[in-house]
Amino acid sequence: MTVLEPFGARLRRAMDERGPLCVGIDPHASLLAEWGLGDNVDGLERFSRTVVEAVADRVAVLKPQSAFFERFGSRGVAVLETTVREAREAGALVVMDAKRGDIGSTMAAYAEAFLHKDAPLFSDALTVSPYLGYGSLSPAVAMARESGAGLFVLALTSNPEGGEVQHAVRTDGRTVGATVLGHLALENAGEEPLGSFGAVVGATLGDLSSYDLDMGGPVLAPGIGAQGATPADLPAVFGRAVRNVVPNVSRGVLRHGPDTVALRDASERFADEIRAALTSA
């Protein structure tokens, strides 16, 4: 198996060269309808190919949401395979948003599906859930290291329900979210210029100064655009970790389709606004 340069190093370079923007590929039914496409495999394929053609040669990261492809069965997964391959061929890094989490051989199988270099769905990184215990992610961590891929681990998510788990206080006085961040800091220890094991932290959460987000790896930050956060909010939310933040925008860009020029222009506007916010931080 060919081993890539570590994901963290590739991501740092992509963000420096293309700007720190991740565009989601979220072909849910309402967006397909807004684009004048059918809620079927043909619409899915047209949507995904258009996004890739519009922005994959200029943004650092594309993040397909696996569920919106899986709902169409094997033909939808085939579209997802093509989307991943064509996005990577155009130079974008692909983060597969699948939020997998299980134990033992099942977690190992998820890792094989998304992180093995020869797998049809191989992605540069995968979102995973640690809420069966961080140690349950060990097979994914091992496969990511073996293949040069990365992980984004759910740590402090923006959905209201997340707080009942992530802000819960353990017997050692640390919250569950802080514990996840601590594990990631250990994974990334000594890695330069950026570790390959990142956290998912919502950009809509406001003041996170009580958490140490500077854990040596990237921070995938959903919530920019339609969910209410703006690029200008990033320095206040992420503090000294802001240079390692990968802000995710989905509907804020995708609503401009199916016009490829409009999609491209929207992604470039967000990238410029994010650069400006980080420069002023």
Side-chain angles (χ1 to χ4, degrees), residues 68-189:
F68 292 122
F69 295 82
E70 293 177 41
R71 71 191 184 100
F72 292 106
S74 61
R75 293 178 65 200
V77 173
V79 174
L80 180 58
E81 291 178 8
T82 300
T83 299
V84 170
R85 184 183 69 253
E86 292 181 348
R88 297 189 74 243
E89 288 173 350
L93 298 177
V94 171
V95 173
M96 180 64 70
D97 194 356
K99 299 183 179 69
R100 296 303 198 251
D102 215 307
I103 60 172
S105 60
T106 308
M107 190 68 241
Y110 283 138
E112 289 273 347
F114 295 106
L115 299 172
H116 191 286
K117 188 64 176 62
D118 297 326
L121 284 170
F122 172 76
S123 303
D124 297 285
L126 172 69
T127 61
V128 292
S129 172
Y131 295 111
L132 288 174
Y134 184 85
S136 67
L137 300 180
S138 294
V141 171
M143 181 60 69
R145 291 192 186 280
E146 183 178 336
S147 62
L151 298 177
F152 282 102
V153 182
L154 302 180
L156 297 166
T157 59
S158 55
N159 61 304
E161 305 88 349
E164 68 184 45
V165 174
Q166 295 154 20
H167 299 311
V169 179
R170 292 160 31 104
T171 55
D172 62 4
R174 302 173 76 198
T175 67
V176 172
T179 301
V180 172
L181 294 169
H183 283 298
L184 292 171
L186 292 175
E187 301 285 8
N188 293 318

Side-chain angles (χ1 to χ4, degrees), residues 223-264:
I224 302 291
Q227 294 183 46
T230 70
D233 296 327
L234 295 172
V237 176
F238 295 100
R240 63 179 182 172
V242 73
R243 184 172 178 269
N244 296 332
V245 169
V246 188
N248 177 74
V249 180
S250 294
R251 182 174 287 274
V253 170
L254 300 177
R255 66 183 179 84
H256 294 280
D259 185 326
T260 56
V261 174
L263 287 166
R264 192 171 297 132

